[in-house]
Amino acid sequence: MNIATPPQVSTNTLRDAIVRHLCYSFGREPDFAGLEDWRMALSYAIRDHIADSWFRAAGTARREGAKRVYYLSMEFLIGRLLEDGIVNLGLVDQAREALAALGQDYDTVLADEPDAALGNGGLGRLAACFLESLSTLGCPAYGYGIRYEHGLFRQSFQGGRQIEAPETWLLQRHAWEFERPEALFRIGFGGEIEETGGKVLWHPAEHVDAEAYDTPIVGWQGKWANTLRLWSAKASDPFDLPAFNRGDFAAAAQPEALARTISRVLYPDDTTEQGRELRLKQEFFLVAAALRDILARFDKEHSDIRKLPEKVAIQLNDTHPAVAGPELVRILHDERSLPFEEAMEIARGCLSYTNHTLLPEALESWGEDLFGGLLPRHLQIADLIDNAHYEANPSRTQSMRADHQVKMGQLSFVMAHKVNGVSALHTELMKETVFSELHRLHPERIVNQTNGVTPRRWLLACNPRLSGLITETIGDGWVADLERLRELEPAIEDAAWRERFDAAKRANKVDLSNWMAAEQGVSVNPDAMFDVQIKRMHEYKRQHLNILETIALWQEMKDAPNADWTPRVVLFAGKAAPGYAFAKDIIRLINDVAAVLNADPETGDKLQVLFLPNYNVTLAERLIPAADLSEQISTAGKEASGTGNMKFALNGAMTIGTLDGANVEIREHVGAENFFLFGMTASDVTERRKVESHAAKAIEADPRLARALQAVRGGTFSPDEVDRYTHVADNIAGADYFLVASDFTEYWRASREADAAFRDPATWIRKAALNTARSGWFSSDRTIRGYMQDIWAARSYLSD
Ligand code: 26V
């Protein structure tokens, strides 16, 4: 049993370690060191302590022959790691003082670290929170992903329009990874199938090597650390010597270039499957390397492959790694000679699958020609799996292989012993919609695990003022047991305490205002309500509903400029997929609206709009602690869970939101009176879509909406190109699939309720603080405990 103690490190020890790394790891004398040198030296000094707990954890897991959890994900949106490490090791004061003694500023050094943006949004960030919670809970686990050279693109604006630039996080020195040239697997693609003597052999036509890079992920108090293992593609045969000798240098370098494309870039689209061969190659590359690695570790510790499900739990983060089903069956059957049925049973015993979206366009499916061309044996095995499932369930009507497609959702369901949704509502909708038939056949298989977020990053580290106040009030037990935030409730009844809570929020808002003034050149009123919507740009998330309501508010303010308006700063951030034209138009519209409103002398002090470029984890950490109002306004039934919604509530923002995803559960926890609810329910949405001209009717019934739309249509925000947004207005007034018009009136009503509540600070602060006190359930520690119990049958190796 591992009884680890967090490192006791003095400021002097840490200072000496920093200087030692500066000199001997980076060859730099302190007098000549730049910011990046200091940041790297501090990172290495911290990393040494993380590595100690990492070795201890790995040793414990090996000695105990522990069951390991393997989290397979095409995305890990981890952000910065230095502060995470320092905070979890409890070395904030020492690091600050050690740097000060060396003439360096702690915050400046930390801010030098680039974000590792190896993910698109919610799904990737969830994977990162899960890794941290797995370590905090002492559950032996590995995250497996791809070491993309380029993460999610960098966003800037030109004339209000989104411009994408490649993201190059690996050009800077990266402190956290350990290259593992010995952990190398040869991955095959394409080629032929040979059947001889009852055996099937796959002879791939092309090979690429997968090389491992390990990043330790340390948990709270450094008691445990797990591994994030990312695979990088290298040419198996890097250099075409005959071509070189012919003098064809470009051809000689080709194998290397081709192989590397596999881990070159993260696909920047969280909705539409582009059917691109490279994406499927990436998926198989990850899966094949991970399974090789998992089996190698299993073989080292155990001899009977039939025991695999007792020792190995593999979680598929959405269908992206779904080819793990056929690949594991192929290895067990073709390579290890188990009967097909048994191979399938063993694979199913190991595998489980999380669904993260019901949007039809995001449900992966591959044409069989593409799939079979790249993975001929896996296509055969998918058919065998499908047939076996049919035979066992003769009443089944849908096939995972209909329409010459391979449907990855169905395949994942059939190959998994548990399938989970990510919020209570989403899980029920899964049962009723995409997986209704499979759910009828396997009523035990679907379970819910409502998402959560790590409180270490999303409260303790990002909001030191609030977390300091909390710890002063109830001690620091909440950091590892977030539901203890409930103990704040008595303090919330104390006016003096509420003032301190408010002072923390106000100081966060001042910090943000200063930062925006410096970075964006826009100065905002820190006493205004900070109204924040930050997430990927998508029609279902309805950033256009928010901006329409803002336009209507501006128009009303201009009608009565001297009325008692609640000042608002409306903040947006989020990236649009490069190919998603409508989402990009919404960005431009928001920027155009901002230009007009911010320049309006009549309303400029009461209503400001700002779209902050290049949304990422670090920007979220800056914005969330400063928010008063959290916009969670998706069309009901479309947002599987949301996790930003949890971060805001935890940091003492009020939510304005629909009954969608985890909003439903947040409202239950914080209390209906502390949540601004509006809009249709998921079943209302289904009904409303059947109403003829639903949008036109809604517009006719609400003059505010009609006027706001008219301003968009008439070029009020695009005077240089009057019809720039005609199609946006037409969309909302026409098909309006996401029901912006139909929810507008209710949204306006709820927004004015928020305004009124904000004008009464005593009430508002109380409500905001209750949001913090009652959001403890949304810790990813709770979520991971749920997976460990209900899905993985995994345990903790910490004894505290
Ligand atoms: C699909 C694709 C398709 C092709 C290329 C790249 C790509 C990347 C991602 C996706 C699916 C993304 C699904 C997703 O992110 N869902 C979000 O998951 C969050 C965590 O469970 C949840 O909070 C959000 O509500 C949900 O939208």
Side-chain angles (χ1 to χ4, degrees):
M1 200 57 54
N2 182 52
I3 309 167
T5 46
Q8 301 294 319
V9 184
S10 71
T11 298
N12 286 348
T13 313
L14 192 60
R15 186 202 57 206
D16 293 348
I18 295 169
V19 173
R20 197 176 57 246
H21 278 300
L22 198 60
C23 295
Y24 303 117
S25 301
F26 300 106
R28 193 74 79 200
E29 287 177 84
D31 283 351
F32 299 95
L35 190 54
E36 192 186 330
D37 299 317
W38 287 112
R39 198 245 304 160
M40 290 297 293
L42 173 62
S43 300
Y44 272 38
I46 294 298
R47 197 180 76 168
D48 291 346
H49 296 289
I50 295 176
D52 286 338
S53 93
W54 195 30
F55 302 144
R56 275 199 311 271
T60 303
R62 266 197 309 269
R63 265 196 314 282
E64 304 263 338
K67 182 169 192 173
R68 312 297 204 292
V69 169
Y70 296 104
Y71 200 82
L72 268 59
S73 178
M74 289 288 282
E75 309 192 5
F76 287 92
L77 190 41
I78 46 189
R80 292 176 178 161
L81 284 176
L82 177 52
E83 186 178 21
D84 214 43
I86 295 173
V87 165
N88 275 358
L89 293 174
L91 296 178
V92 176
D93 293 341
Q94 293 91 321
R96 197 181 284 280
E97 287 161 16
L99 283 177
L102 295 163
Q104 301 302 313
D105 174 58
Y106 176 78
D107 296 311
T108 310
V109 170
L110 263 58
D112 183 60
E113 184 178 355
D115 267 44
L118 308 186
N120 272 289
L123 168 146
R125 183 53 233 174
L126 186 75
C129 283
F130 279 6
L131 289 182
E132 199 272 357
S133 279
L134 281 159
S135 293
T136 289
L137 295 175
C139 176
Y142 287 77
Y144 280 118
I146 294 180
R147 184 176 177 271
Y148 301 107
E149 270 173 57
H150 305 284
L152 190 60
F153 64 86
R154 254 184 335 111
Q155 178 198 54
S156 62
F157 301 131
Q158 251 173 41
R161 268 181 293 207
Q162 169 174 295
I163 304 294
E164 300 108 27
E167 184 268 2
T168 52
W169 70 295
L170 282 175
L171 287 187
Q172 282 117 316
R173 283 178 291 176
H174 181 54
W176 304 105
E177 62 184 11
F178 294 90
E179 189 174 357
R180 301 291 193 213
E182 77 286 359
L184 194 81
F185 296 102
R186 186 149 292 195
I187 313 298
F189 298 99
E192 309 294 330
I193 310 274
E194 183 197 357
E195 296 189 29
T196 46
K199 276 230 156 251
V200 180
L201 293 174
W202 174 31
H203 302 294
E206 180 196 340
H207 287 95
V208 171
D209 284 349
E211 190 195 349
Y213 287 76
D214 287 349
T215 299
I217 305 290
V218 69
W220 175 233
Q221 295 182 325
K223 293 179 187 169
W224 191 271
N226 285 315
T227 305
L228 170 58
R229 174 161 277 196
L230 299 178
W231 301 100
S232 180
K234 307 260 147 81
S236 299
D237 206 354
F239 197 61
D240 185 344
L241 194 58
F244 184 85
N245 289 339
R246 282 198 310 273
D248 191 346
F249 306 126
Q254 267 249 325
E256 176 65 14
L258 269 176
R260 279 180 51 191
T261 49
I262 291 186
S263 54
R264 184 95 61 195
V265 56
L266 166 77
Y267 269 74
D269 195 346
D270 63 0
T271 54
T272 49
E273 183 44 65
Q274 315 188 354
R276 300 263 303 276
E277 188 182 21
L278 181 60
R279 171 77 181 179
L280 183 58
K281 268 191 162 173
Q282 289 185 333
E283 293 180 355
F284 182 68
F285 174 77
L286 160 64
V287 161
L291 287 176
R292 290 277 165 212
D293 204 38
I294 291 168
L295 289 169
R297 191 168 300 109
F298 177 85
D299 289 336
K300 259 192 215 151
E301 294 176 14
H302 312 282
S303 50
D304 183 357
I305 191 71
R306 283 166 301 193
K307 294 249 155 65
L308 200 65
E310 284 171 38
K311 296 295 171 187
V312 168
I314 301 172
Q315 189 67 33
L316 307 180
N317 198 21
D318 217 295
T319 56
H320 315 152
V323 69
E327 172 67 355
L328 187 50
V329 171
R330 188 189 69 77
I331 295 170
L332 296 175
H333 179 60
D334 292 358
E335 295 184 2
R336 303 213 179 187
S337 307
L338 288 175
F340 187 79
E341 283 292 330
E342 196 178 4
M344 226 171 73
E345 275 318 305
I346 292 174
R348 187 181 291 122
C350 299
L351 292 166
S352 41
Y353 151 58
T354 307
N355 174 280
H356 292 272
T357 177
L358 300 173
L359 294 184
E361 64 271 30
L363 296 177
E364 274 187 305
S365 85
W366 297 102
E368 65 185 9
D369 292 343
L370 171 67
F371 192 96
L374 212 56
L375 304 167
R377 180 57 178 155
H378 299 79
L379 183 63
Q380 286 183 343
I381 290 175
D383 283 333
L384 293 171
I385 292 169
D386 198 39
N387 291 340
H389 190 259
Y390 260 113
E391 272 165 35
N393 303 279
S395 72
R396 189 172 159 209
T397 60
Q398 297 165 351
S399 163
M400 71 176 74
R401 292 282 289 107
D403 315 320
H404 302 287
Q405 298 280 310
V406 186
K407 299 191 172 155
M408 303 310 264
Q410 306 249 323
L411 175 63
S412 302
F413 192 113
V414 167
M415 284 310 301
H417 66 282
K418 290 288 175 196
V419 174
N420 77 285
V422 291
S423 73
L425 173 67
H426 165 68
T427 299
E428 288 314 303
L429 292 173
M430 274 170 69
K431 293 177 186 170
E432 288 165 21
T433 61
V434 266
F435 295 124
S436 59
E437 180 172 87
L438 288 169
H439 174 58
R440 176 175 61 73
L441 299 174
H442 307 281
E444 308 297 312
R445 199 165 294 182
I446 297 186
V447 295
N448 178 242
Q449 299 297 343
T450 298
N451 285 166
V453 303
T454 168
R456 273 72 63 186
R457 181 180 292 259
W458 294 109
L459 180 53
L460 180 63
C462 76
N463 197 344
R465 293 189 180 94
L466 179 55
S467 52
L469 175 61
I470 295 170
T471 296
E472 221 182 281
T473 312
I474 61 170
D476 68 358
W478 61 273
V479 179
D481 183 4
L482 198 61
E483 293 204 61
R484 289 185 56 185
L485 291 178
R486 286 256 175 190
E487 294 166 19
L488 291 172
E489 287 201 32
I492 295 172
E493 298 311 316
D494 170 14
W497 190 91
R498 284 201 303 273
E499 253 172 54
R500 299 182 65 196
F501 180 92
D502 187 45
K505 178 68 76 182
R506 155 93 201 181
N508 291 341
K509 290 169 70 176
V510 169
D511 277 0
L512 176 63
S513 307
N514 292 338
W515 181 83
M516 291 192 300
E519 296 290 316
Q520 306 298 318
V522 181
S523 65
V524 302
N525 169 11
D527 290 316
M529 178 199 289
F530 281 21
D531 168 355
V532 186
Q533 186 171 21
I534 49 176
K535 47 184 82 242
R536 278 302 282 258
M537 300 300 295
H538 198 289
E539 284 163 279
Y540 85 76
K541 295 176 187 281
R542 299 199 293 192
Q543 284 93 351
H544 48 339
L545 174 58
N546 187 346
I547 198 66
L548 261 186
E549 188 270 333
T550 306
I551 293 167
L553 178 60
W554 172 68
Q555 293 172 323
E556 207 121 318
M557 283 179 173
K558 290 183 78 65
D559 290 344
N562 298 318
D564 185 19
W565 298 105
T566 305
R568 276 200 193 214
V569 176
V570 184
L571 296 170
F572 293 88
K575 294 177 181 176
Y580 191 171
F582 196 82
K584 292 175 131 178
D585 292 340
I586 296 172
I587 294 179
R588 190 177 188 194
L589 171 62
I590 295 171
N591 277 322
D592 279 348
V593 170
V596 171
L597 269 58
N598 297 348
D600 187 334
E602 236 174 7
T603 58
D605 57 336
K606 297 189 271 285
L607 185 58
Q608 293 173 291
V609 179
L610 203 55
F611 202 128
L612 298 166
N614 202 35
Y615 182 52
N616 59 14
V617 173
T618 297
L619 185 55
E621 289 168 359
R622 204 184 282 284
L623 286 166
I624 290 169
D628 294 305
L629 191 65
S630 153
E631 298 272 353
Q632 308 299 336
I633 62 177
S634 50
T635 313
K638 293 292 172 196
E639 189 70 271
S641 164
T643 45
N645 47 3
M646 302 166 185
K647 296 166 194 167
F648 280 105
L650 188 59
N651 282 276
M654 294 275 285
T655 305
I656 182 166
T658 49
L659 281 180
D660 199 15
N663 293 356
V664 178
E665 290 151 272
I666 292 176
R667 181 167 170 269
E668 280 165 10
H669 277 85
V670 304
E673 67 285 7
N674 302 312
F675 186 110
F676 299 108
L677 178 70
F678 76 95
M680 288 176 281
T681 62
S683 61
D684 293 341
V685 163
T686 316
E687 288 308 303
R688 180 71 186 176
R689 288 219 179 99
K690 296 179 192 154
V691 174
E692 206 184 316
S693 314
H694 50 78
K697 285 179 176 141
I699 295 164
E700 204 180 287
D702 190 336
R704 282 194 190 97
L705 170 57
R707 181 159 74 153
L709 266 179
Q710 187 45 44
V712 171
R713 186 190 302 281
T716 303
F717 310 105
S718 51
D720 51 327
E721 187 186 352
V722 173
D723 57 1
R724 183 178 298 158
Y725 298 112
T726 313
H727 67 294
V728 174
D730 284 349
N731 181 305
I732 296 171
D736 194 20
Y737 183 75
F738 295 100
L739 300 170
V740 169
S742 296
D743 261 347
F744 180 90
T745 308
E746 270 270 280
Y747 180 50
W748 171 274
R749 191 254 319 139
S751 297
R752 300 295 73 75
E753 274 173 29
D755 281 349
F758 195 74
R759 274 199 300 276
D760 174 9
T763 314
W764 181 279
I765 298 162
R766 196 171 166 280
K767 285 173 180 289
L770 283 171
N771 267 269
T772 297
R774 298 176 179 175
S775 292
W777 190 75
F778 297 96
S779 166
S780 46
D781 299 345
R782 185 268 310 150
T783 312
I784 287 297
R785 281 200 190 90
Y787 279 85
M788 287 168 70
Q789 262 183 32
D790 308 343
I791 299 178
W792 301 329
R795 53 164 283 216
S796 162
Y797 284 82
L798 285 185
S799 58
D800 35 22

